[in-house]
Amino acid sequence: MSNAGLAPLPSADRPDVAARLRDALLGASFTADGLLELLGAPAYAALARSETVPALRATRGDTPLEVLVRLFLLQQYVRHARVADVLPVDACLESGWLTRVGGPSGDEVAATVDVRPYGGPGGEDWFIVSDLGCAVGGAGGIGSRDEGVVLGVGGASTTLAGITVRTPVASALDLGAGSGIQALHAAQHATRVTATDLNPRALHITGLTLALSGAPAADLREGSLFEPVRDEETYDLIVSNPPFVISPGARLTYRDGGMGGDDLCRSLVQQAGERLNEGGFAQFLANWQHVEGEDWQDRLRSWVPRGCDAWIVQREVQDITQYAELWLRDAGDHRGDPAEYQALYDAWLDEFEARKVRGVGFGWITLRKTQAAEPSVVAEEWPYPVEQPLGDTVRAYFRRLDYLREHDDAALLAGHFKLAPEIVQEQVGLPGAEDPEHVVLRQNRGMRRATKVDTVGAGFAGVCDGSLSAGRILDAIAQLVGEDPVALRDRTPAQIRLLVEQGFLDPA
């Protein structure tokens, strides 16, 4: 890995300057809300796609906020005197946040890093630091310039931040910290945060992100994934947006893990179990191979370490040509020599064919350390829209698993349940038909699941308000429909379990 072509970074030893810079940025409304108001929705959305022309057009004035957007997000040179009106310019020059440019006179300054406003889940105004031109991820071939580049916030980063369980914990570990967004989130609810990365530049930038956002410092350790973690260390939360791209060569540190196929993701998941405290969560984004003659769900279940519950959600599957094209474009290879691009494309397809890979899945993997005699391992496909953040949904899912494990059918029928918030019922059938062909319950929150139920299941869910036990509700339904109550009690617990597991019913 080489960082030779990248600009020098600001000093990590000047928290006083970072604090003064932060105050100046906030004073000029250099925040996510401030950007949206200044740029307007179309230019703001274009900036998230690494398209800068609309933002340049929207910042042709000379207000402090426009100056900061041009300086830190659009990589424009700005007159030293104008910046001095907005920022502690001499301190920023001395500590390396800014550098003098503009020829012999040096009367202009430029930023040495991207600084992107980022809104925290509680309305916090944070700032994500990244290498120049990398504020929104690897789009546009940024990564091809230098393999040690550190990217900013992309869709994968925000997805992982949204699904992570946010409860107060003593210790959290961010593997492959990058620009530090996961460590920044974890610092809000973990007493101690450790962050690892193979790229020392990424660790430096993680420290800058934390300092500029006013967050506590993390324990930064250089090395690949778990390598820097001492044998005796365990954690309450482990998160990782690893370099999961399945490629024929580890050209780009930010995305290529250097192991064959999906071995990096597999080893990461398998090693996490022994690093978790009881009840702790490990949450990852990952890619996995769809191999000819092998069920992808069985493949993923084999990754789960002993002593852990697991919830694996496949969000998308791409065939090998789509996948190769996506990441060749991410690296900018499509803009180079056509013959070289074709050779790289061939190399990707050769690698996949040698491994009998027909497609690549992308999704989330959540582990929870448990003492259960038979841990639950669920692997499912859910490509439909969901409502982020999902951290509370994930935590509630595992809490319901515990309830179902602890209650046999008799205890289940003695239990009380409530219909989850914002559940609607849909009846599906031919127009004018007296009875529906089937009934669908649909969630408008969280995973936004939909599930078919029979008329008994629909009636049961509809009256669950916590006041009556499940058994008494079934007895009343049996009387209404003229069915044997014992038979109904015998056949309904499986349906109740499914409704509880999927979040349609909550134990009262």
Side-chain angles (χ1 to χ4, degrees):
M1 180 183 64
S2 170
N3 292 326
L6 296 171
L9 293 173
S11 171
D13 300 324
R14 294 295 304 274
D16 57 322
V17 177
R20 291 174 62 191
L21 176 56
R22 171 180 168 78
D23 289 343
L25 297 177
L26 293 175
S29 297
F30 187 67
T31 63
D33 289 342
L35 277 186
L36 180 59
E37 184 176 349
L38 170 67
L39 302 179
Y44 188 83
L47 195 60
R49 301 191 299 270
S50 294
E51 296 290 350
T52 58
V53 172
L56 284 167
R57 293 173 60 87
T59 56
R60 289 180 288 195
D62 200 36
T63 66
L65 180 55
E66 287 170 305
V67 168
L68 293 176
V69 172
R70 290 199 303 272
L71 186 64
F72 284 117
L73 281 181
L74 303 178
Q75 289 85 60
Q76 302 296 297
Y77 295 172
V78 181
R79 288 183 301 106
H80 179 282
R82 184 66 188 101
V83 176
D85 293 335
V86 183
L87 300 176
V89 64
D90 291 335
C92 289
L93 285 166
E94 179 190 353
S95 59
W97 290 95
L98 302 175
T99 185
R100 285 189 179 272
V101 292
S105 63
D107 60 352
E108 291 182 308
V109 298
T112 58
V113 289
D114 267 347
V115 176
R116 184 175 181 84
Y118 177 81
E124 303 91 346
D125 289 314
W126 292 338
F127 301 97
I128 308 299
V129 180
S130 62
D131 273 313
L132 290 173
C134 302
V136 294
I142 290 295
S144 65
R145 299 188 319 186
D146 191 291
E147 64 182 58
V149 73
V150 179
L151 305 183
V153 179
S157 301
T158 55
T159 294
L160 179 59
I163 67 172
T164 300
V165 174
R166 303 293 177 194
T167 55
V169 294
S171 57
L173 173 63
D174 177 12
L175 298 172
S179 61
I181 179 175
Q182 308 306 331
L184 178 57
H185 276 279
Q188 311 308 306
H189 62 102
T191 303
R192 174 174 59 89
V193 176
T194 302
T196 75
D197 203 291
L198 182 64
N199 184 357
R201 188 175 182 88
L203 292 176
H204 190 118
I205 285 180
T206 290
L208 296 176
T209 290
L210 294 171
L212 194 57
S213 298
D219 179 3
L220 306 176
R221 303 185 190 176
E222 183 180 344
S224 178
L225 303 177
F226 286 108
E227 286 178 4
V229 179
R230 291 184 286 273
D231 290 342
E232 70 279 6
E233 289 181 306
T234 55
Y235 298 86
D236 302 307
L237 174 67
I238 299 172
V239 293
S240 184
N241 176 18
F244 54 64
V245 177
I246 301 170
S247 66
R251 298 166 57 221
L252 302 173
T253 302
Y254 75 87
R255 70 168 205 197
D256 302 318
M259 297 186 188
D262 51 18
D263 284 352
L264 181 136
C265 291
R266 175 186 55 78
S267 61
L268 178 62
V269 173
Q270 289 178 337
Q271 293 172 28
E274 63 187 15
R275 298 297 185 180
L276 279 176
N277 293 325
E278 187 65 31
F281 286 91
Q283 298 186 262
F284 314 103
L285 300 186
N287 275 179
W288 45 80
Q289 298 172 149
H290 283 233
V291 180
E292 183 179 340
E294 184 177 355
D295 184 276
W296 74 267
Q297 293 169 315
D298 290 340
R299 181 181 186 83
L300 270 291
R301 291 188 189 103
S302 73
W303 293 7
V304 177
R306 286 182 296 178
C308 288
D309 291 323
W311 184 18
I312 300 161
V313 181
Q314 180 167 271
R315 296 288 290 155
E316 182 182 4
V317 182
Q318 290 186 323
D319 66 49
I320 57 175
T321 59
Q322 291 175 307
Y323 190 80
E325 290 163 14
L326 169 67
W327 292 108
L328 287 168
R329 288 180 177 274
D330 175 84
D333 292 314
H334 62 301
R335 296 176 177 172
D337 176 48
E340 184 179 350
Y341 172 78
Q342 183 174 345
L344 288 168
Y345 200 152
D346 269 334
W348 282 66
L349 297 187
D350 286 344
E351 178 82 5
F352 284 134
E353 289 177 7
R355 295 176 177 272
K356 298 184 178 180
V357 175
R358 296 294 175 259
V360 179
F362 168 83
W364 322 323
I365 299 175
T366 299
L367 307 177
R368 186 191 59 164
K369 195 69 171 288
T370 179
Q371 292 182 336
E374 296 184 13
S376 168
V377 178
V378 172
E380 62 173 325
E381 188 163 12
W382 193 256
Y384 311 108
V386 298
E387 183 189 50
Q388 286 274 34
L390 280 167
D392 287 345
T393 298
V394 172
R395 181 163 57 99
Y397 169 81
F398 286 95
R399 187 171 61 240
R400 294 193 304 272
L401 278 186
D402 287 339
Y403 177 89
L404 293 173
R405 264 198 294 248
E406 294 164 1
H407 291 73
D408 60 15
D409 285 355
L412 198 70
L413 293 174
H416 295 240
F417 301 92
K418 286 185 177 181
L419 188 67
E422 298 193 39
I423 303 293
V424 297
Q425 175 179 305
E426 300 172 0
Q427 296 188 171
V428 181
L430 293 173
E434 184 174 344
D435 296 313
E437 292 179 13
H438 57 264
V439 177
V440 173
L441 299 181
R442 187 179 301 277
Q443 301 168 348
N444 286 321
R445 301 289 299 276
M447 292 293 287
R448 294 182 174 173
R449 294 187 185 277
T451 189
K452 290 182 183 180
V453 292
D454 59 20
T455 53
V456 170
F460 178 86
V463 298
C464 279
D465 61 4
S467 60
L468 297 175
S469 70
R472 290 190 62 186
I473 292 173
L474 290 178
D475 290 343
I477 292 174
Q479 188 173 4
L480 283 174
V481 301
E483 188 168 341
D484 178 11
V486 175
L488 193 60
R489 279 175 172 254
D490 284 344
R491 70 176 176 85
T492 306
Q495 190 170 191
I496 296 174
R497 286 186 182 278
L498 181 64
L499 292 175
V500 172
E501 179 182 334
Q502 294 189 341
F504 292 92
L505 295 176
D506 290 320

